[in-house]
Every structure is written in C-alpha cells, then in structure tokens.
Amino acid sequence: MTAGGDEASATDLALMALADGELSDAEAERLRAAMAADPSLARRYELYAASRRVLRQAFAQLDELPASPRLLASLRREQAATLAPRVAPRRAVFALAAGLLLTVGLAAWFGQQAQRSHDASVGTQLARESGAVAAALEHLAAGEEARIGDGAQALSLMPLASYDGGTAWCREFEARRVSGDDALRALACRDAAAPAWEIREVIASTAAPEDSGSEFRPASGERPAVLQGRPLTPEQERAAIASGWPRH
Amino acid sequence: MSFEDDLIALLPRLRRHALARTGHLAEADDLVQAACERALQARRQWREGTRLDAWVLTILNNVCIDHARRRQTRGTEAPMEELDAVPDTNWSRSVEARITLEQVLGVLAELPDAMRAVLSLVAVEGLTYEEASNILKVPIGTVMSRLSRARIELMRRLGSDGGQVMNGAWS
C-alpha cells in the first residue's frame, strides 16, 4: 500500500479492524499470532492503533474550551417553547457591508442604522438601545442574557465568547428578538485607544436570501480573524470583566 | 430526560465532528447549531428506542456536506486521487503525546472531506464501521478503504511535520 492510491490489502484492513475492535475474538487471536511472527505486520498494526490514539488525544483537547453558550441557550429556549408555534420570521431589512464598520463607534454605528431603516429590525432596535447594549457587552459573561428594550420589540442580548485580539478585546454576541426569530450575530471590540465597545463586523443575521427562513446566514466574506483564535476561558473572561477590560 | 436534554448531552460529540470537518471552532459551532435546528424541526421523524446520536450525526453530516458545497470554490483540499505521496517518517510515543489539536486540524484540512468524516466517526467517536456506513450512506467496504487511506495519510503527514522517520512501515 502506498499513499499514491493503491487499494489497501485485505491484511491491512484486517489489521485496522483489529485496532478498531471490529474483529471477533477468534479472528483477533489469529491475527495477533501472525503479528507475533511478522514484525512488519506489527508495525502496520501500530500505525492504525497510533492514529486512533492521536486523534482521540487531540480532540480531547477540545473539551478544555468552553461550550458554546449560544447553542446551549438556543436549545434551552426551544425547550421552554416546545409547544409554542414558531413565529414566521420577519425579514429584517438589514444588509450592510462589513468593511464599512471598521472605524465606527458603537453609538455612531447604531445611530446610522436607525436613520437608514425605519423597520423593526434587530439592528434598528439595537441602535435605539446602544447604551444598554454597551453595558451588556461590558458586564455580562458569555452565556448570560440581558433584556434590551421591552414590549414586542424586546431583544435578548447574549455575549457568546470573548477574545484577546492583541491590541483590543473582542466579544462575539447575539441579539435575538424575544418574541420572534429575527437575530443578529456580530463582533464588537474595545481597544485601548478608544475604550468603548464598537461593532467591527456583522457575522451573521437572519436577514437576506429569500428562502432562508430563520436559519442564520453568514455575512459575506471570511470570518473575522480574531474569531479564529481561542476564546478566553471563563476564568480569563471573569478577570477581564472584573477589571474593566484593562489596557493591553 | 427531554429531547433537548439529550441533544445538549450530544453537543461535545457534535462539536468534535464539525470541527474535524471544518477546522474552525466558530464555524463548527454554526454547523452544530444548524444541525440542532434541523433535528428539532424533524424530531417527530426520530423513533424512540433508536440511537439519537447516530440520527443527529446523520443530520450533521448533511449539514457539513451542504456547507462544503457552498464554499467549494474556496477549498484547498486535495481530491481523493491526487494526494501527494509523503515520505515515510518515524513515529514514537513521545512524538505522539506532543501532537496538538491545531496540528491535527492542519493535516485534516489537507485531506478530502470524505476522509475527515470517517476519521471522525470511527477513530474519534468510536462508532462501528457499520454505524459509520449508515450515517455516511456508503458501503462498509468503502468506509474501511477510506479509513485506512485516511489514517496512513494522517500519520505520514503528522510524522513529516515532526521531521521524524516512520520506520518504513509501508516500505
């Protein structure tokens, strides 16, 4: 067998099946006897067994990361509303070029959104409540929820994860209409030069393609680079919140 | 336990699988969320007494395939037939213990998605060949040949990263 694409031999597949616990006792015993007599078989077996160990060991490292609070929250919400009929999604009028937002502060950005659209989109609603939004981003841990606004327009805002962006602190958050399916996910950052939360990018929203229903659609382009890194652990995040997101 | 509780208990496994497929955690979480939404919408199709994990992994596999199709033009992975031969490399338990998730994800990203899928289901999640065959809707023989190929590729590439020589197991 070579990496070039030859079919694996029956012996190779049997060795792999042994490493994966797929053989009967009798088959396994016969193969182990053959391996004892032929070191090349033993080496090939070891490669299959080692690959299994490597993968498990590597993916076990994932367990050290915090679970996605967004997922937990959406499942809990589902649980609470099992019998409530799903509200048909209102199509938020809320498309924007992510690049435009880079230097715009939170209040300014939200203000523009409010002027641009007069509908009841999540973005517009956030704009009207920019103070409450900033406070939530400043103080809530990932997975905690704040109610923004009230009545039919009320939103639930939840930070999802926090990142150390080197020169800035960044938080991914989700804002979701309490009484509907409209939602928006965005990245807000706060850097030393301007210690206020500002929106850097809208990552996904329920606005857009005609048939998208209430499923999240990513905004165009790559995910922001900061989100490719590891999120802060809950301890690191707690420390950052407690000390007011200190200067780097 | 409610259906949602059962789903929540599956999240770590779903997340591992989606991460193996996409290589990026935030993207993996999006795919898991999409799979959970589909599972909740289709919950009546799940028959009590059958395995929920296999059912949800089937949904997640479909979500991963759709996602890969949508971003196909950006893919850098090699097609199944055109993987480069990588020199044999040495392997030892001490090398093995130092391998990080990032390294593994880096190598997985170079493999075809079909290989990532079998590696994750069988080698990481510990499903049987038959279970993987049902989830991926390919014959068991295909699962086994892909899996064998994928593991050899994985180990060669990880080994060559470490600059070691793998004892010529396949020479």
Side-chain angles (χ1 to χ4, degrees), chain B residues 128-156:
Chain B
T128 65
Y129 297 164
E130 189 181 0
E131 286 161 351
S133 148
N134 289 334
I135 288 170
L136 301 173
K137 310 219 166 26
V138 296
I140 288 190
T142 306
V143 167
M144 290 180 71
S145 58
R146 267 182 204 167
L147 188 58
S148 167
R149 194 68 203 291
R151 284 154 98 155
I152 292 164
E153 291 295 339
L154 174 78
M155 296 302 275
R156 283 177 197 261

PDB file of all heavy atoms in Angstrom, chain B residues 128-156:
ATOM      1  N   THR B 128     -18.949   2.081  15.111  1.00  0.00           N
ATOM      2  CA  THR B 128     -18.524   0.899  14.353  1.00  0.00           C
ATOM      3  C   THR B 128     -18.529   1.232  12.864  1.00  0.00           C
ATOM      4  O   THR B 128     -19.117   2.240  12.433  1.00  0.00           O
ATOM      5  CB  THR B 128     -19.485  -0.281  14.580  1.00  0.00           C
ATOM      6  OG1 THR B 128     -20.768   0.070  14.043  1.00  0.00           O
ATOM      7  CG2 THR B 128     -19.643  -0.594  16.065  1.00  0.00           C
ATOM      8  N   TYR B 129     -17.890   0.359  12.085  1.00  0.00           N
ATOM      9  CA  TYR B 129     -17.870   0.571  10.638  1.00  0.00           C
ATOM     10  C   TYR B 129     -19.294   0.588  10.096  1.00  0.00           C
ATOM     11  O   TYR B 129     -19.630   1.349   9.192  1.00  0.00           O
ATOM     12  CB  TYR B 129     -17.071  -0.538   9.935  1.00  0.00           C
ATOM     13  CG  TYR B 129     -15.601  -0.580  10.315  1.00  0.00           C
ATOM     14  CD1 TYR B 129     -14.819  -1.704  10.040  1.00  0.00           C
ATOM     15  CD2 TYR B 129     -14.996   0.500  10.943  1.00  0.00           C
ATOM     16  CE1 TYR B 129     -13.481  -1.751  10.384  1.00  0.00           C
ATOM     17  CE2 TYR B 129     -13.657   0.469  11.300  1.00  0.00           C
ATOM     18  CZ  TYR B 129     -12.898  -0.665  11.022  1.00  0.00           C
ATOM     19  OH  TYR B 129     -11.578  -0.704  11.366  1.00  0.00           O
ATOM     20  N   GLU B 130     -20.120  -0.278  10.655  1.00  0.00           N
ATOM     21  CA  GLU B 130     -21.492  -0.353  10.173  1.00  0.00           C
ATOM     22  C   GLU B 130     -22.260   0.944  10.477  1.00  0.00           C
ATOM     23  O   GLU B 130     -22.992   1.468   9.632  1.00  0.00           O
ATOM     24  CB  GLU B 130     -22.198  -1.553  10.814  1.00  0.00           C
ATOM     25  CG  GLU B 130     -23.556  -1.813  10.195  1.00  0.00           C
ATOM     26  CD  GLU B 130     -24.279  -2.989  10.841  1.00  0.00           C
ATOM     27  OE1 GLU B 130     -23.715  -3.601  11.773  1.00  0.00           O
ATOM     28  OE2 GLU B 130     -25.404  -3.258  10.421  1.00  0.00           O
ATOM     29  N   GLU B 131     -22.072   1.455  11.685  1.00  0.00           N
ATOM     30  CA  GLU B 131     -22.746   2.712  12.039  1.00  0.00           C
ATOM     31  C   GLU B 131     -22.278   3.846  11.126  1.00  0.00           C
ATOM     32  O   GLU B 131     -23.080   4.655  10.652  1.00  0.00           O
ATOM     33  CB  GLU B 131     -22.482   3.054  13.513  1.00  0.00           C
ATOM     34  CG  GLU B 131     -23.264   2.175  14.474  1.00  0.00           C
ATOM     35  CD  GLU B 131     -22.705   2.175  15.899  1.00  0.00           C
ATOM     36  OE1 GLU B 131     -21.599   2.720  16.143  1.00  0.00           O
ATOM     37  OE2 GLU B 131     -23.370   1.606  16.781  1.00  0.00           O
ATOM     38  N   ALA B 132     -20.968   3.904  10.897  1.00  0.00           N
ATOM     39  CA  ALA B 132     -20.439   4.955  10.018  1.00  0.00           C
ATOM     40  C   ALA B 132     -20.995   4.780   8.603  1.00  0.00           C
ATOM     41  O   ALA B 132     -21.337   5.756   7.933  1.00  0.00           O
ATOM     42  CB  ALA B 132     -18.913   4.910   9.996  1.00  0.00           C
ATOM     43  N   SER B 133     -21.100   3.545   8.176  1.00  0.00           N
ATOM     44  CA  SER B 133     -21.628   3.263   6.838  1.00  0.00           C
ATOM     45  C   SER B 133     -23.071   3.763   6.712  1.00  0.00           C
ATOM     46  O   SER B 133     -23.462   4.337   5.692  1.00  0.00           O
ATOM     47  CB  SER B 133     -21.502   1.759   6.582  1.00  0.00           C
ATOM     48  OG  SER B 133     -22.538   1.293   5.766  1.00  0.00           O
ATOM     49  N   ASN B 134     -23.868   3.577   7.759  1.00  0.00           N
ATOM     50  CA  ASN B 134     -25.256   4.047   7.736  1.00  0.00           C
ATOM     51  C   ASN B 134     -25.344   5.574   7.741  1.00  0.00           C
ATOM     52  O   ASN B 134     -26.183   6.154   7.054  1.00  0.00           O
ATOM     53  CB  ASN B 134     -26.027   3.494   8.939  1.00  0.00           C
ATOM     54  CG  ASN B 134     -26.271   2.003   8.809  1.00  0.00           C
ATOM     55  OD1 ASN B 134     -26.326   1.473   7.698  1.00  0.00           O
ATOM     56  ND2 ASN B 134     -26.381   1.308   9.930  1.00  0.00           N
ATOM     57  N   ILE B 135     -24.488   6.198   8.533  1.00  0.00           N
ATOM     58  CA  ILE B 135     -24.531   7.659   8.619  1.00  0.00           C
ATOM     59  C   ILE B 135     -24.090   8.292   7.307  1.00  0.00           C
ATOM     60  O   ILE B 135     -24.700   9.232   6.807  1.00  0.00           O
ATOM     61  CB  ILE B 135     -23.638   8.150   9.785  1.00  0.00           C
ATOM     62  CG1 ILE B 135     -24.306   7.817  11.115  1.00  0.00           C
ATOM     63  CG2 ILE B 135     -23.354   9.647   9.674  1.00  0.00           C
ATOM     64  CD1 ILE B 135     -23.425   8.034  12.324  1.00  0.00           C
ATOM     65  N   LEU B 136     -23.024   7.762   6.728  1.00  0.00           N
ATOM     66  CA  LEU B 136     -22.450   8.375   5.529  1.00  0.00           C
ATOM     67  C   LEU B 136     -23.096   7.856   4.244  1.00  0.00           C
ATOM     68  O   LEU B 136     -22.833   8.374   3.164  1.00  0.00           O
ATOM     69  CB  LEU B 136     -20.935   8.117   5.484  1.00  0.00           C
ATOM     70  CG  LEU B 136     -20.155   8.653   6.691  1.00  0.00           C
ATOM     71  CD1 LEU B 136     -18.710   8.198   6.651  1.00  0.00           C
ATOM     72  CD2 LEU B 136     -20.223  10.179   6.753  1.00  0.00           C
ATOM     73  N   LYS B 137     -23.925   6.823   4.386  1.00  0.00           N
ATOM     74  CA  LYS B 137     -24.615   6.225   3.234  1.00  0.00           C
ATOM     75  C   LYS B 137     -23.635   5.736   2.177  1.00  0.00           C
ATOM     76  O   LYS B 137     -23.800   5.985   0.979  1.00  0.00           O
ATOM     77  CB  LYS B 137     -25.620   7.209   2.624  1.00  0.00           C
ATOM     78  CG  LYS B 137     -26.531   7.824   3.680  1.00  0.00           C
ATOM     79  CD  LYS B 137     -27.935   8.001   3.244  1.00  0.00           C
ATOM     80  CE  LYS B 137     -28.886   8.287   4.389  1.00  0.00           C
ATOM     81  NZ  LYS B 137     -28.313   8.928   5.587  1.00  0.00           N
ATOM     82  N   VAL B 138     -22.609   5.068   2.619  1.00  0.00           N
ATOM     83  CA  VAL B 138     -21.683   4.385   1.703  1.00  0.00           C
ATOM     84  C   VAL B 138     -21.475   2.967   2.239  1.00  0.00           C
ATOM     85  O   VAL B 138     -21.659   2.722   3.436  1.00  0.00           O
ATOM     86  CB  VAL B 138     -20.317   5.109   1.587  1.00  0.00           C
ATOM     87  CG1 VAL B 138     -20.484   6.486   0.983  1.00  0.00           C
ATOM     88  CG2 VAL B 138     -19.623   5.193   2.938  1.00  0.00           C
ATOM     89  N   PRO B 139     -21.105   2.019   1.360  1.00  0.00           N
ATOM     90  CA  PRO B 139     -20.915   0.629   1.820  1.00  0.00           C
ATOM     91  C   PRO B 139     -19.784   0.515   2.847  1.00  0.00           C
ATOM     92  O   PRO B 139     -18.870   1.343   2.863  1.00  0.00           O
ATOM     93  CB  PRO B 139     -20.528  -0.115   0.533  1.00  0.00           C
ATOM     94  CG  PRO B 139     -20.906   0.775  -0.592  1.00  0.00           C
ATOM     95  CD  PRO B 139     -20.879   2.174  -0.072  1.00  0.00           C
ATOM     96  N   ILE B 140     -19.854  -0.532   3.669  1.00  0.00           N
ATOM     97  CA  ILE B 140     -18.830  -0.738   4.688  1.00  0.00           C
ATOM     98  C   ILE B 140     -17.436  -0.853   4.070  1.00  0.00           C
ATOM     99  O   ILE B 140     -16.463  -0.320   4.605  1.00  0.00           O
ATOM    100  CB  ILE B 140     -19.150  -2.008   5.517  1.00  0.00           C
ATOM    101  CG1 ILE B 140     -20.350  -1.727   6.416  1.00  0.00           C
ATOM    102  CG2 ILE B 140     -17.949  -2.415   6.367  1.00  0.00           C
ATOM    103  CD1 ILE B 140     -20.624  -2.800   7.438  1.00  0.00           C
ATOM    104  N   GLY B 141     -17.354  -1.519   2.921  1.00  0.00           N
ATOM    105  CA  GLY B 141     -16.053  -1.656   2.258  1.00  0.00           C
ATOM    106  C   GLY B 141     -15.445  -0.292   1.936  1.00  0.00           C
ATOM    107  O   GLY B 141     -14.238  -0.081   2.075  1.00  0.00           O
ATOM    108  N   THR B 142     -16.295   0.640   1.534  1.00  0.00           N
ATOM    109  CA  THR B 142     -15.825   1.996   1.230  1.00  0.00           C
ATOM    110  C   THR B 142     -15.370   2.708   2.499  1.00  0.00           C
ATOM    111  O   THR B 142     -14.351   3.392   2.523  1.00  0.00           O
ATOM    112  CB  THR B 142     -16.947   2.801   0.544  1.00  0.00           C
ATOM    113  OG1 THR B 142     -17.401   2.060  -0.576  1.00  0.00           O
ATOM    114  CG2 THR B 142     -16.458   4.155   0.109  1.00  0.00           C
ATOM    115  N   VAL B 143     -16.156   2.536   3.576  1.00  0.00           N
ATOM    116  CA  VAL B 143     -15.755   3.114   4.863  1.00  0.00           C
ATOM    117  C   VAL B 143     -14.360   2.619   5.223  1.00  0.00           C
ATOM    118  O   VAL B 143     -13.474   3.394   5.587  1.00  0.00           O
ATOM    119  CB  VAL B 143     -16.752   2.723   5.983  1.00  0.00           C
ATOM    120  CG1 VAL B 143     -16.184   3.046   7.362  1.00  0.00           C
ATOM    121  CG2 VAL B 143     -18.078   3.437   5.779  1.00  0.00           C
ATOM    122  N   MET B 144     -14.136   1.311   5.082  1.00  0.00           N
ATOM    123  CA  MET B 144     -12.863   0.738   5.510  1.00  0.00           C
ATOM    124  C   MET B 144     -11.706   1.200   4.630  1.00  0.00           C
ATOM    125  O   MET B 144     -10.640   1.550   5.129  1.00  0.00           O
ATOM    126  CB  MET B 144     -12.949  -0.792   5.522  1.00  0.00           C
ATOM    127  CG  MET B 144     -13.856  -1.306   6.634  1.00  0.00           C
ATOM    128  SD  MET B 144     -13.967  -3.110   6.650  1.00  0.00           S
ATOM    129  CE  MET B 144     -12.323  -3.563   7.222  1.00  0.00           C
ATOM    130  N   SER B 145     -11.909   1.210   3.313  1.00  0.00           N
ATOM    131  CA  SER B 145     -10.773   1.610   2.478  1.00  0.00           C
ATOM    132  C   SER B 145     -10.464   3.093   2.667  1.00  0.00           C
ATOM    133  O   SER B 145      -9.303   3.483   2.763  1.00  0.00           O
ATOM    134  CB  SER B 145     -11.009   1.259   1.004  1.00  0.00           C
ATOM    135  OG  SER B 145     -12.170   1.890   0.543  1.00  0.00           O
ATOM    136  N   ARG B 146     -11.496   3.933   2.803  1.00  0.00           N
ATOM    137  CA  ARG B 146     -11.255   5.356   3.068  1.00  0.00           C
ATOM    138  C   ARG B 146     -10.544   5.562   4.397  1.00  0.00           C
ATOM    139  O   ARG B 146      -9.655   6.387   4.531  1.00  0.00           O
ATOM    140  CB  ARG B 146     -12.587   6.102   3.157  1.00  0.00           C
ATOM    141  CG  ARG B 146     -13.009   6.696   1.856  1.00  0.00           C
ATOM    142  CD  ARG B 146     -14.299   7.462   2.020  1.00  0.00           C
ATOM    143  NE  ARG B 146     -14.962   7.518   0.737  1.00  0.00           N
ATOM    144  CZ  ARG B 146     -16.204   7.889   0.556  1.00  0.00           C
ATOM    145  NH1 ARG B 146     -16.940   8.254   1.598  1.00  0.00           N
ATOM    146  NH2 ARG B 146     -16.724   7.926  -0.635  1.00  0.00           N
ATOM    147  N   LEU B 147     -11.006   4.813   5.363  1.00  0.00           N
ATOM    148  CA  LEU B 147     -10.466   4.972   6.709  1.00  0.00           C
ATOM    149  C   LEU B 147      -8.998   4.570   6.742  1.00  0.00           C
ATOM    150  O   LEU B 147      -8.168   5.244   7.360  1.00  0.00           O
ATOM    151  CB  LEU B 147     -11.288   4.094   7.657  1.00  0.00           C
ATOM    152  CG  LEU B 147     -11.053   4.224   9.137  1.00  0.00           C
ATOM    153  CD1 LEU B 147     -11.294   5.638   9.614  1.00  0.00           C
ATOM    154  CD2 LEU B 147     -12.000   3.259   9.882  1.00  0.00           C
ATOM    155  N   SER B 148      -8.672   3.475   6.069  1.00  0.00           N
ATOM    156  CA  SER B 148      -7.292   3.002   6.032  1.00  0.00           C
ATOM    157  C   SER B 148      -6.407   4.048   5.368  1.00  0.00           C
ATOM    158  O   SER B 148      -5.369   4.460   5.892  1.00  0.00           O
ATOM    159  CB  SER B 148      -7.236   1.667   5.278  1.00  0.00           C
ATOM    160  OG  SER B 148      -5.899   1.341   4.962  1.00  0.00           O
ATOM    161  N   ARG B 149      -6.853   4.496   4.238  1.00  0.00           N
ATOM    162  CA  ARG B 149      -6.137   5.509   3.475  1.00  0.00           C
ATOM    163  C   ARG B 149      -5.959   6.787   4.292  1.00  0.00           C
ATOM    164  O   ARG B 149      -4.881   7.371   4.352  1.00  0.00           O
ATOM    165  CB  ARG B 149      -7.026   5.760   2.281  1.00  0.00           C
ATOM    166  CG  ARG B 149      -6.572   6.470   1.120  1.00  0.00           C
ATOM    167  CD  ARG B 149      -5.555   5.770   0.315  1.00  0.00           C
ATOM    168  NE  ARG B 149      -4.871   6.829  -0.411  1.00  0.00           N
ATOM    169  CZ  ARG B 149      -5.470   7.525  -1.371  1.00  0.00           C
ATOM    170  NH1 ARG B 149      -6.681   7.223  -1.768  1.00  0.00           N
ATOM    171  NH2 ARG B 149      -4.832   8.499  -1.961  1.00  0.00           N
ATOM    172  N   ALA B 150      -7.032   7.189   4.939  1.00  0.00           N
ATOM    173  CA  ALA B 150      -7.011   8.432   5.714  1.00  0.00           C
ATOM    174  C   ALA B 150      -6.015   8.344   6.862  1.00  0.00           C
ATOM    175  O   ALA B 150      -5.299   9.297   7.164  1.00  0.00           O
ATOM    176  CB  ALA B 150      -8.405   8.733   6.253  1.00  0.00           C
ATOM    177  N   ARG B 151      -5.948   7.192   7.508  1.00  0.00           N
ATOM    178  CA  ARG B 151      -5.051   7.069   8.664  1.00  0.00           C
ATOM    179  C   ARG B 151      -3.607   7.059   8.235  1.00  0.00           C
ATOM    180  O   ARG B 151      -2.736   7.607   8.919  1.00  0.00           O
ATOM    181  CB  ARG B 151      -5.400   5.814   9.431  1.00  0.00           C
ATOM    182  CG  ARG B 151      -6.662   6.050  10.223  1.00  0.00           C
ATOM    183  CD  ARG B 151      -7.360   4.794  10.473  1.00  0.00           C
ATOM    184  NE  ARG B 151      -7.064   4.284  11.794  1.00  0.00           N
ATOM    185  CZ  ARG B 151      -7.886   3.467  12.441  1.00  0.00           C
ATOM    186  NH1 ARG B 151      -9.009   3.087  11.878  1.00  0.00           N
ATOM    187  NH2 ARG B 151      -7.592   3.043  13.631  1.00  0.00           N
ATOM    188  N   ILE B 152      -3.324   6.425   7.105  1.00  0.00           N
ATOM    189  CA  ILE B 152      -1.950   6.417   6.612  1.00  0.00           C
ATOM    190  C   ILE B 152      -1.540   7.842   6.249  1.00  0.00           C
ATOM    191  O   ILE B 152      -0.472   8.318   6.620  1.00  0.00           O
ATOM    192  CB  ILE B 152      -1.824   5.461   5.414  1.00  0.00           C
ATOM    193  CG1 ILE B 152      -2.023   4.031   5.901  1.00  0.00           C
ATOM    194  CG2 ILE B 152      -0.467   5.621   4.740  1.00  0.00           C
ATOM    195  CD1 ILE B 152      -2.313   3.037   4.797  1.00  0.00           C
ATOM    196  N   GLU B 153      -2.430   8.545   5.558  1.00  0.00           N
ATOM    197  CA  GLU B 153      -2.137   9.941   5.203  1.00  0.00           C
ATOM    198  C   GLU B 153      -1.918  10.796   6.441  1.00  0.00           C
ATOM    199  O   GLU B 153      -0.985  11.585   6.525  1.00  0.00           O
ATOM    200  CB  GLU B 153      -3.288  10.542   4.384  1.00  0.00           C
ATOM    201  CG  GLU B 153      -3.435   9.978   2.993  1.00  0.00           C
ATOM    202  CD  GLU B 153      -2.241  10.307   2.110  1.00  0.00           C
ATOM    203  OE1 GLU B 153      -1.512  11.275   2.412  1.00  0.00           O
ATOM    204  OE2 GLU B 153      -2.040   9.579   1.125  1.00  0.00           O
ATOM    205  N   LEU B 154      -2.818  10.636   7.389  1.00  0.00           N
ATOM    206  CA  LEU B 154      -2.721  11.430   8.622  1.00  0.00           C
ATOM    207  C   LEU B 154      -1.373  11.209   9.291  1.00  0.00           C
ATOM    208  O   LEU B 154      -0.685  12.166   9.657  1.00  0.00           O
ATOM    209  CB  LEU B 154      -3.865  11.027   9.573  1.00  0.00           C
ATOM    210  CG  LEU B 154      -3.825  11.667  10.950  1.00  0.00           C
ATOM    211  CD1 LEU B 154      -4.332  13.099  10.885  1.00  0.00           C
ATOM    212  CD2 LEU B 154      -4.667  10.880  11.953  1.00  0.00           C
ATOM    213  N   MET B 155      -1.000   9.942   9.456  1.00  0.00           N
ATOM    214  CA  MET B 155       0.216   9.649  10.190  1.00  0.00           C
ATOM    215  C   MET B 155       1.457  10.074   9.427  1.00  0.00           C
ATOM    216  O   MET B 155       2.411  10.568  10.005  1.00  0.00           O
ATOM    217  CB  MET B 155       0.267   8.158  10.522  1.00  0.00           C
ATOM    218  CG  MET B 155      -0.844   7.722  11.450  1.00  0.00           C
ATOM    219  SD  MET B 155      -0.839   8.621  13.016  1.00  0.00           S
ATOM    220  CE  MET B 155       0.346   7.643  13.927  1.00  0.00           C
ATOM    221  N   ARG B 156       1.454   9.886   8.129  1.00  0.00           N
ATOM    222  CA  ARG B 156       2.606  10.327   7.353  1.00  0.00           C
ATOM    223  C   ARG B 156       2.768  11.838   7.465  1.00  0.00           C
ATOM    224  O   ARG B 156       3.859  12.345   7.642  1.00  0.00           O
ATOM    225  CB  ARG B 156       2.438   9.970   5.876  1.00  0.00           C
ATOM    226  CG  ARG B 156       2.693   8.522   5.557  1.00  0.00           C
ATOM    227  CD  ARG B 156       2.410   8.286   4.078  1.00  0.00           C
ATOM    228  NE  ARG B 156       2.242   6.877   3.798  1.00  0.00           N
ATOM    229  CZ  ARG B 156       3.195   6.101   3.303  1.00  0.00           C
ATOM    230  NH1 ARG B 156       4.370   6.595   3.056  1.00  0.00           N
ATOM    231  NH2 ARG B 156       2.961   4.833   3.080  1.00  0.00           N
TER     232      ARG B 156
END
